[in-house]
Structure formats: structure tokens, C-alpha cells
């Protein structure tokens, strides 16, 4: 029997503390209006101070498991994507495995920011198609960057909202998984990141006091990175999967700028009815945004059985990844 990966459940978690743009406008002024106009972001949500990224991931995972109709101990693997981990080491996925009670699952982390979820889907599809002993894989994206920034004084905190999303994949005798694509350009690795706390610059009293252990936006990315990169990834998915782009029923992208999504859809000749966005109500949630928008579209009935869904993510570094699935 052919083994194809298929998605049988999704879930997301949005934490309870809202920080709308009007609060940020009081602190940072008119620049917030400009950010809002270009991004479509009007608010963001923060987790309580005593929460960590794994807590968000566990809540989204519980929802996905419930939607899939399985238990945590049914899982064979947990793949977690985040660039705001609980620790530098150990991996956040092992913490999620423990908190979730997934006692039979192996785990690993993916660290390519907003490209993590489509990367995880592709890896999960490969594992399920080639590993006869595996039946269920959980892919999670989680983000708690507000705790790793100076959110009260750094205007770039406009872009950091907390959240998590998850999907459960299993084996089917029909696709399922259709195609994948990957791209990276590491020449941008000094543009945006957390640059003290690793081996490049171990954390010191001076680096902490200077704020270098927090996330820093150093140099803007050219808009072409997404505006031209996302259409390229979509065309690669179509070529690799031998389908026509017009056959795509739902195209999902990193949820950072609504204007970018509009431009990319127009470039591809796809109507806005064939995409979905959440930044207006949940803000930008980084590594979590693609599984969150996917779950929201499913729960709103915008994704149905037999639909061809594409996922294209773009993360700092930069990484890009795409994945295409037919929904069961």
C-alpha cells in the first residue's frame, strides 16, 4: 500500500492578554498608524508572565489532538517550530512532549522562524511515507517573542504577538501531501535576530544591559524577499506537484503584512477569496501564524474536503518553505 501523509486535525491557542494598537499609539505615536496601514495588524495578544512557549504549544496541541480524535500517547513524533524557545537547550519539543503526556513520541525542534510550519509539514510527510512504524505525527508552531523583546520601549514590538497552532498528520493510501519547496539566503542573517546568548556572543552582564540578548531589528528586508519570493515558492509547489496554480483552493502565507498577501495573490492571478488572514484580530504570531491561520480557515468552513491547500512561510535568516496538501 502506498503511504501518504494527510492532515486529520488542527488547533490553535490565543493567550488572554490583549495589547491593541491604541495602547501602542499612546507610547510610540504616529508610526503605529503607518505600521497598521501596511500590515493590517490592529492588536496582539500576550501570555501571562509565568507562561513559556511550551505552554502555548501544549494548548494548541490539545486542540489538534481533540480535532483528530486521538490521544497524546498515540503520537509517534512531535515536531515543534519556534524561534522563541523555552531554552537554548534542551529542545522545547521535549518539554511539550512531557507536558502533553506524549510518552511514546520522539521529538525535535525546527528553528527557521515563520518557515518552520511548512518545513515541519514536509518533514512529517516524509517520515510517514517512509517509516512503516509511524502512524501519527504532531507539527506545532509556537511564538512568545514579546518576552524576548523590550516590548514597553521597542516600537518593533508592534510585530510580536504570542500564540500557537498545531496539526496532526497520519497515513493514508491517497494524498494528502502533494509537494514541497525550500529556499534560503543566509546573507540576510544579520538583519533581524537575537545576537547575544549563543556562541557568537555568550551572554554577559554587559550584553544583557545593552539589550543584545533581546530580539533586535537591525536592517530592513527588501520587500522583494516576500513579494517576489512567495510567488516563486508557489510556482515551485505547482511544478513539483504537477498541478495548475489556478487549482489551488486556499493559499496561506506568513501573517505579517496584508498588503504583501494582496500583492502576491494578484501576481499569481488568485483572488483574495482563495486566501485567509488573521493579523487584523490576532496580530503577527511568527512561527505560529501559518498553523493558526490554517486552523481558523478550517473552523470557518473556508477549507473543505478535497481542497488543495498551499502553505508558504518566510522566516528571518532568511528561510522560505512551501508545502501543498489535499485535504481529506
Amino acid at each position: 500500500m502506498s503511504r501518504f501523509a494527510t492532515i486529520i486535525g488542527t488547533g490553535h491557542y490565543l493567550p488572554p492578554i490583549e495589547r491593541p494598537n491604541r495602547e501602542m499609539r499612546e507610547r510610540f505615536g504616529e508610526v503605529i498608524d503607518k505600521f497598521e496601514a501596511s500590515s493590517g495588524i490592529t492588536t496582539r495578544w500576550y501570555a501571562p508572565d509565568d507562561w513559556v512557549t511550551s505552554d502555548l504549544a501544549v494548548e494548541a496541541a490539545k486542540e489538534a489532538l481533540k480535532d483528530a480524535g486521538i490521544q497524546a500517547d498515540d503520537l509517534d513524533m512531535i515536531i515543534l517550530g519556534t524561534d522563541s524557545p523555552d531554552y537554548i537547550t534542551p529542545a522545547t519539543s521535549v518539554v511539550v512532549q512531557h507536558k502533553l503526556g506524549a510518552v511514546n513520541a520522539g521529538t525535535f525542534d525546527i528553528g527557521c522562524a515563520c518557515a518552520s510550519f511548512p518545513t515541519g509539514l514536509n518533514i512529517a510527510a516524509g517520515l510517514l511515507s517512509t517509516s512503516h512504524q509511524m502512524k501519527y505525527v504532531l507539527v506545532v508552531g509556537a511564538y512568545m517573542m514579546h518576552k524576548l523583546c523590550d516590548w514597553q520601549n521597542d516600537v518593533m514590538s508592534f510585530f510580536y504577538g504570542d500564540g500557537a497552532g498545531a496539526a496532526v498528520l497520519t497515513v493514508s493510501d491517497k494524498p494528502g501531501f502533494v509537494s514541497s519547496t525550500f529556499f534560503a539566503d543566509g546573507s540576510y542573517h544579520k538583519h533581524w535576530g537575537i545576537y547575544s546568548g549563543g556562541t557568537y556572543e555568550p551572554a554577559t552582564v554587559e550584553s544583557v544591559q545593552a539589550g543584545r540578548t533581546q530580539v533586535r531589528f537591525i536592517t530592513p528586508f527588501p520587500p522583494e524577499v516576500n513579494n517576489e519570493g512567495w510567488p516563486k515558492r508557489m510556482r515551485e509547489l505547482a511544478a513539483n506537484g504537477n498541478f495548475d496554480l489556478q487549482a489551488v483552493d486556499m493559499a496561506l502565507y506568513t501573517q505579517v503584512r496584508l498588503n504583501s498577501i494582496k500583492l502576491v495573490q494578484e501576481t499569481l492571478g488568485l483572488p483574495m477569496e482563495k486566501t485567509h488572514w488573521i493579523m487584523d484580530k490576532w496580530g503577527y504570531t511568527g512561527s505560529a501564524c501559518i498553523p493558526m491561520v490554517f486552523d481558523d480557515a478550517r473552523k470557518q468552513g473556508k477549507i473543505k474536503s478535497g481542497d488543495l491547500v498551499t502553505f508558504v512561510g518566510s522566516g528571518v535568516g532568511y528561510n522560505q518553505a512551501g508545502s501543498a496538501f489535499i485535504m481529506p
Side-chain angles (χ1 to χ4, degrees):
M1 180 185 86
S2 298
R3 291 174 63 93
F4 296 99
T6 192
I7 298 170
I8 59 169
T10 59
H12 80 270
Y13 180 75
L14 188 74
I17 303 169
E18 185 174 12
R19 192 181 187 216
N21 284 0
R22 57 176 171 77
E23 290 185 9
M24 303 196 78
R25 197 173 288 113
E26 292 171 1
R27 179 175 290 271
F28 298 114
E30 294 181 359
V31 67
I32 299 302
D33 296 328
K34 296 178 181 178
F35 284 176
E36 180 178 317
S38 65
S39 69
I41 295 170
T42 63
T43 192
R44 74 266 325 123
W45 301 78
Y46 290 171
D49 290 343
D50 59 347
W51 278 47
V52 292
T53 297
S54 60
D55 293 321
L56 297 173
V58 166
E59 294 305 310
K62 288 177 180 177
E63 290 298 312
L65 291 170
K66 180 179 178 181
D67 190 44
I70 67 169
Q71 304 299 313
D73 59 7
D74 292 321
L75 292 172
D76 297 293
M77 181 65 69
I78 297 172
I79 302 171
L80 180 125
T82 189
D83 53 341
S84 57
D86 288 10
Y87 318 106
I88 291 179
T89 190
T92 303
S93 56
V94 299
V95 185
V96 171
Q97 187 251 15
H98 172 67
K99 291 179 177 179
L100 196 59
V103 294
N104 297 309
T107 83
F108 59 91
D109 283 13
I110 298 173
C112 45
C114 305
S116 293
F117 187 71
T119 298
L121 291 179
N122 294 337
I123 294 172
L127 288 171
L128 287 168
S129 68
T130 58
S131 305
H132 65 87
Q133 77 278 12
M134 285 192 178
K135 188 174 182 182
Y136 296 110
V137 177
L138 175 73
V139 181
V140 188
Y143 199 65
M144 194 184 278
M145 193 63 76
H146 101 266
K147 287 187 75 172
L148 301 179
C149 78
D150 182 3
W151 62 270
Q152 296 192 65
N153 298 299
D154 182 359
V155 69
M156 296 308 293
S157 65
F158 177 92
F159 290 101
Y160 307 134
D162 299 345
V168 175
L169 289 79
T170 192
V171 178
S172 174
D173 59 358
K174 57 185 177 182
F177 174 75
V178 177
S179 63
S180 67
T181 185
F182 300 93
F183 180 79
D185 187 344
S187 65
Y188 290 87
H189 75 279
K190 288 290 188 73
H191 281 51
W192 199 335
I194 299 173
Y195 295 109
S196 180
T199 57
Y200 175 78
E201 183 189 24
T204 63
V205 172
E206 189 274 329
S207 74
V208 171
Q209 291 175 341
R212 292 197 298 276
T213 56
Q214 296 176 317
V215 65
R216 283 290 181 266
F217 176 69
I218 308 298
T219 306
F221 286 83
E224 294 79 16
V225 166
N226 293 339
N227 296 348
E228 296 180 4
W230 292 355
K232 288 180 180 177
R233 306 294 82 80
M234 286 287 287
R235 293 185 180 111
E236 290 163 0
L237 285 175
N240 295 344
N242 195 29
F243 61 83
D244 191 301
L245 272 175
Q246 300 308 309
V248 173
D249 297 292
M250 180 60 62
L252 301 173
Y253 307 95
T254 297
Q255 300 289 293
V256 64
R257 292 188 187 276
L258 182 55
N259 285 346
S260 293
I261 294 175
K262 290 178 178 177
L263 178 61
V264 169
Q265 288 291 95
E266 181 180 355
T267 299
L268 296 171
L270 296 174
M272 289 299 287
E273 289 76 20
K274 287 192 172 186
T275 191
H276 188 61
W277 59 92
I278 56 172
M279 69 279 285
D280 55 329
K281 59 183 179 180
W282 296 342
Y284 167 64
T285 53
S287 305
C289 68
I290 294 181
M292 290 179 76
V293 72
F294 178 40
D295 182 59
D296 194 54
R298 283 191 71 224
K299 299 297 168 56
Q300 290 191 29
K302 292 187 175 184
I303 295 175
K304 305 175 292 298
S305 176
D307 281 357
L308 175 59
V309 182
T310 58
F311 309 84
V312 171
S314 189
V316 295
Y318 70 90
N319 295 97
Q320 290 183 342
S323 187
F325 275 78
I326 296 171
M327 295 304 296

